[in-house]
Amino acid sequence: MQRRSEYRPRLVSYVLNNKKEGRISKEITAKIKQAAIDLNYQPNHIARSLQAQKTMTIGLIVADIANPFSSQIARIIEDEAQKAGYSVIFGSSDEKASKTEKLIKLFLNRQVDGFIIAFPENTQTQAQYLKQIGIPFVMIDRYFPEITSNCVSINNYSAAASAINHLLENGRRKIGIVTYATALHHLNERKRGAIDLLGDDAAVGEIRIDHVAEDVAEAIAGFLALPEPVDAVFFSTNLLTVAGLKYLNSLNVKVPDQVAVVGFDETDAFDLFYAPVSYVKQPMTDLGREAVNLLLETIDDSSLQKSVTLDTELVARQSSVLLR
Amino acid sequence: MQRRSEYRPRLVSYVLNNKKEGRISKEITAKIKQAAIDLNYQPNHIARSLQAQKTMTIGLIVADIANPFSSQIARIIEDEAQKAGYSVIFGSSDEKASKTEKLIKLFLNRQVDGFIIAFPENTQTQAQYLKQIGIPFVMIDRYFPEITSNCVSINNYSAAASAINHLLENGRRKIGIVTYATALHHLNERKRGAIDLLGDDAAVGEIRIDHVAEDVAEAIAGFLALPEPVDAVFFSTNLLTVAGLKYLNSLNVKVPDQVAVVGFDETDAFDLFYAPVSYVKQPMTDLGREAVNLLLETIDDSSLQKSVTLDTELVARQSSVLLR
């Protein structure tokens, strides 16, 4: 009860559902019941579930529903939740803190039992707020190292390191890294995992999230104009990879002959590229399943603090392996 | 009020917000107010918006959130709704009538002001139900010709016809059509638009929605084994197109030299295919904007019945145009 103090059932629900009558005088009880009959009052789903303290609904906030990672994980979370009898309502923060706050309020007012959230930048206070009010929630994909809370993510550092190691093992000598200029910890872990292996030799392009095509083009053009031009590029997200492949195509740069490519996440675009694209494969189904399971555990035991870290797989294909 | 008769505000909300006190005795009113103070009752967002008859929330039900069409349209609808001060909560029906019904109930219980829905097969009764209870809603993408209601869609018949005409104009003689075996009217209109131009000469593959890869492979293998093998294929959706391209790649069939391809909808995969894929381009932004606008009009005027049909564009690229 305590962690749900914001969700105080209303008097009329108390009365009509014959609970806690001791707290309300018999006279008021009788009169409310009569008034309810007069008004043809129908206790609705929310009133009933407030009694039961459960709406069997999960609020999911993804970072950008138009991003294949978000839409795939939404689909998986929905499937997993359904198996447990839960419905999912979702919203997309569009990577904006203000929108995340709005969606959290919206879903709180709609009495979700808990949240699964991919937090965008600068939303630490919102995560803290959810902790304070005691609503169960699980961070997915993104996490704040300074905030202890339930979290399901991949090992971003080693995921990136595995991509760089793969390129080095396949004879690449000068590797460019394309990542976002961001405060998002998981993406900076990917950058760190890549740079730690390369040291001063790494060429790094940091892309503004609202100027992807332009900045990716500039970064790659810069990589190719170096005294020792890059012979490989590692992209730390799927959208960066797609933007990079389009720009390499526009320059008529041959993959993997001139430049090897390793991307992140799966998309059909990687399969259909003339040199099928190597990528860091996230365990999408496990991510979604673990997030739902952890949330359900937290709903049952609000004291739980658990962090689940999953490993990735490097899928090596033609874009990074010289066939000749 | 009348069309929202299911959303009868509850007695306690009436009382605490000082509305319609005439319908409740002064004595009960005073006692409820005192009990509310005793219980530390906080009228919540839903109670308040029930008074105002608006929650400023739209319920969006897409067909499959993992499908790029769904996720892109969700993003656009959200952007457009936000401009009008509305939040969007969404769910994915996974093309299932049962899940659509569940989501409609879920959102009704959460007092959305209206719905935008891409109805899957066999959901006519659900559309009729929404009409009956008078909740504003707009069908998007899909529609039931037998049910008069607000609808925003493309001209599917002429969209498909434009694709076939383009292939004929580019010298293709034997055209295969890959579409779903479905009761969905909009997809059958695409099939009709293609077949009407080709008559008995059309080769048609009808794909089961839960066996896409397998059935697409079988259909294309069949097309290529005809006495006069196809020299072009028109795919009526994005997922069918991607599955078809993957199968053509696996056979090492060259596009457009051996087989020209026209797909439907945009995806990055079409851009990155070695022969950038021609496609029927839906006006996504206009679809989303019109759906939101029409819903808002309907919320203001429940008697409105308007059908908006938008035109598509045939984007001709290398996959269907012989360069030599």
Side-chain angles (χ1 to χ4, degrees):
Chain A
M1 282 298 285
Q2 198 180 340
R3 66 181 163 88
R4 288 300 198 83
S5 57
E6 298 238 325
Y7 302 147
R8 195 178 295 279
R10 271 158 268 153
L11 173 59
V12 69
S13 296
Y14 277 139
V15 175
L16 296 180
N17 291 285
N18 302 314
K19 297 273 169 69
K20 308 206 178 185
E21 292 202 2
R23 298 180 65 180
I24 304 165
S25 84
K26 288 231 165 69
E27 188 190 5
I28 292 185
T29 301
K31 294 204 169 160
I32 290 180
K33 280 184 175 168
Q34 186 54 51
I37 291 162
D38 294 346
L39 287 167
N40 189 25
Y41 168 84
Q42 304 281 345
N44 72 1
H45 177 78
I46 292 176
R48 276 197 306 275
S49 46
L50 278 169
Q51 290 297 325
Q53 291 291 310
K54 277 203 183 180
T55 58
M56 299 305 283
T57 307
I58 294 170
L60 169 65
I61 302 178
V62 298
D64 175 6
I65 195 60
N67 184 316
F69 176 84
S70 290
S71 57
Q72 282 168 38
I73 208 78
R75 172 64 186 271
I76 291 162
I77 285 173
E78 205 179 30
D79 286 348
E80 293 297 323
Q82 205 185 6
K83 287 180 198 163
Y86 277 79
S87 296
V88 178
I89 56 180
F90 35 110
S92 171
S93 72
D94 195 12
E95 298 284 6
K96 291 191 180 77
S98 59
K99 224 172 148 195
T100 308
E101 190 181 351
K102 208 169 150 186
L103 285 167
I104 286 174
K105 283 185 183 160
L106 190 74
F107 286 169
L108 280 175
N109 281 328
R110 273 157 185 77
Q111 275 97 0
V112 295
D113 291 335
F115 286 92
I116 298 175
I117 306 183
F119 281 99
E121 283 184 293
N122 305 317
T123 51
Q124 282 89 335
T125 52
Q126 290 160 39
Q128 293 286 20
Y129 171 72
L130 292 177
K131 282 189 77 167
Q132 259 168 31
I133 65 168
I135 180 99
F137 73 102
V138 170
M139 301 192 195
I140 191 166
D141 185 37
R142 293 97 176 277
Y143 49 98
F144 303 113
E146 70 273 27
I147 299 178
T148 313
S149 88
N150 295 300
C151 170
V152 176
S153 64
I154 57 163
N155 188 332
N156 289 284
Y157 183 93
S158 65
S162 74
I164 301 299
N165 264 329
H166 163 77
L167 287 166
L168 293 171
E169 283 164 15
N170 279 272
R172 302 295 166 165
R173 289 287 154 255
K174 181 74 181 179
I175 300 172
I177 299 161
V178 177
T179 186
Y180 284 112
T182 179
L184 286 170
H185 183 72
H186 75 297
L187 291 178
N188 288 327
E189 282 294 284
R190 292 182 196 169
K191 183 169 72 177
R192 200 169 63 87
I195 290 177
D196 277 2
L197 275 173
L198 297 171
D200 293 342
D201 216 32
V204 181
E206 299 205 327
I207 309 304
R208 292 167 297 171
I209 196 163
D210 47 355
H211 292 77
V212 169
E214 178 189 345
D215 286 5
V216 164
E218 197 184 304
I220 293 177
F223 291 168
L224 297 172
L226 288 172
E228 184 193 356
V230 302
D231 56 8
V233 182
F234 166 60
F235 297 92
S236 75
T237 78
N238 56 354
L239 293 190
L240 293 176
T241 315
V242 167
L245 293 170
K246 286 184 182 176
Y247 184 68
L248 289 170
N249 269 356
S250 77
L251 296 180
N252 220 10
V253 169
K254 291 299 164 208
V255 176
D257 305 57
Q258 293 168 266
V259 173
V261 167
V262 175
F264 218 99
D265 296 334
E266 290 166 272
T267 90
D268 287 326
F270 293 177
D271 296 342
L272 289 176
F273 193 66
Y274 61 87
V277 178
S278 305
Y279 60 95
V280 175
K281 180 185 169 118
Q282 297 203 47
M284 301 294 283
T285 305
D286 291 342
L287 276 173
R289 183 186 300 137
E290 291 289 337
V292 171
N293 288 345
L294 184 50
L295 181 62
L296 299 186
E297 283 180 60
T298 313
I299 288 171
D300 286 340
D301 173 7
S302 62
S303 68
L304 192 72
Q305 298 287 1
K306 197 160 123 182
S307 195
V308 177
T309 307
L310 300 172
D311 282 329
T312 58
E313 180 191 349
L314 194 279
V315 178
R317 302 198 293 185
Q318 203 183 329
S319 75
S320 59
V321 181
L322 275 180
L323 297 177
R324 284 157 292 155
Chain B
M1 283 298 286
Q2 197 180 340
R3 66 183 164 85
R4 287 298 198 83
S5 57
E6 297 240 325
Y7 302 147
R8 195 177 296 279
R10 273 159 266 151
L11 173 58
V12 70
S13 296
Y14 276 140
V15 174
L16 296 180
N17 292 285
N18 301 315
K19 297 273 170 69
K20 308 207 177 185
E21 293 202 2
R23 297 181 67 178
I24 305 165
S25 84
K26 287 229 166 70
E27 188 190 7
I28 291 185
T29 300
K31 294 202 170 164
I32 289 179
K33 279 183 178 170
Q34 186 53 51
I37 291 162
D38 295 345
L39 287 168
N40 190 25
Y41 168 84
Q42 304 280 347
N44 72 2
H45 177 77
I46 292 175
R48 276 198 305 276
S49 47
L50 278 167
Q51 289 299 324
Q53 292 290 312
K54 276 202 182 180
T55 59
M56 298 305 283
T57 308
I58 294 170
L60 169 64
I61 302 177
V62 298
D64 175 6
I65 196 59
N67 184 317
F69 176 82
S70 291
S71 57
Q72 282 168 38
I73 207 80
R75 172 66 186 271
I76 292 162
I77 285 173
E78 206 179 29
D79 286 348
E80 292 298 323
Q82 205 184 5
K83 287 180 199 164
Y86 277 79
S87 296
V88 178
I89 56 181
F90 37 108
S92 171
S93 72
D94 195 14
E95 297 285 6
K96 292 192 180 76
S98 60
K99 225 172 147 195
T100 308
E101 190 180 352
K102 209 171 150 185
L103 285 167
I104 287 174
K105 283 184 184 161
L106 190 73
F107 287 168
L108 280 176
N109 280 327
R110 274 158 184 74
Q111 275 95 2
V112 295
D113 290 336
F115 286 92
I116 298 175
I117 305 182
F119 280 100
E121 283 183 295
N122 304 317
T123 51
Q124 283 89 336
T125 50
Q126 291 160 38
Q128 292 287 19
Y129 171 72
L130 291 178
K131 281 189 75 166
Q132 258 168 32
I133 66 169
I135 180 99
F137 73 103
V138 170
M139 301 192 195
I140 190 166
D141 186 36
R142 294 94 178 279
Y143 49 97
F144 303 113
E146 69 273 28
I147 299 177
T148 313
S149 87
N150 295 300
C151 170
V152 175
S153 64
I154 58 163
N155 188 332
N156 288 286
Y157 183 93
S158 64
S162 74
I164 301 300
N165 264 329
H166 163 76
L167 287 166
L168 293 171
E169 282 163 16
N170 279 271
R172 302 295 166 165
R173 288 287 152 257
K174 181 75 181 178
I175 300 172
I177 299 161
V178 176
T179 186
Y180 284 113
T182 179
L184 285 171
H185 184 72
H186 74 298
L187 291 179
N188 288 327
E189 282 294 284
R190 292 182 195 171
K191 183 170 74 179
R192 200 169 63 87
I195 290 177
D196 277 3
L197 275 172
L198 297 171
D200 293 341
D201 216 32
V204 180
E206 298 205 328
I207 310 304
R208 293 168 296 170
I209 196 162
D210 48 354
H211 292 76
V212 168
E214 178 189 343
D215 286 5
V216 164
E218 196 183 306
I220 293 177
F223 291 168
L224 296 171
L226 289 171
E228 183 193 358
V230 301
D231 56 9
V233 182
F234 167 61
F235 297 92
S236 74
T237 78
N238 56 353
L239 293 190
L240 293 176
T241 315
V242 167
L245 293 170
K246 286 184 181 176
Y247 184 68
L248 289 170
N249 269 355
S250 77
L251 295 180
N252 221 9
V253 168
K254 293 296 165 209
V255 176
D257 306 58
Q258 292 168 267
V259 172
V261 167
V262 175
F264 217 99
D265 294 335
E266 290 166 272
T267 91
D268 287 326
F270 294 177
D271 295 342
L272 289 177
F273 192 66
Y274 61 87
V277 178
S278 306
Y279 61 95
V280 175
K281 180 186 171 118
Q282 297 203 45
M284 301 294 283
T285 307
D286 290 343
L287 276 172
R289 182 184 300 138
E290 291 289 338
V292 171
N293 288 346
L294 184 49
L295 180 62
L296 299 187
E297 284 181 60
T298 313
I299 288 172
D300 287 339
D301 173 8
S302 62
S303 67
L304 192 73
Q305 298 287 0
K306 195 159 122 182
S307 196
V308 177
T309 306
L310 300 172
D311 282 329
T312 58
E313 179 192 349
L314 195 278
V315 177
R317 303 197 294 183
Q318 203 182 327
S319 75
S320 59
V321 180
L322 275 182
L323 297 177
R324 283 156 297 156

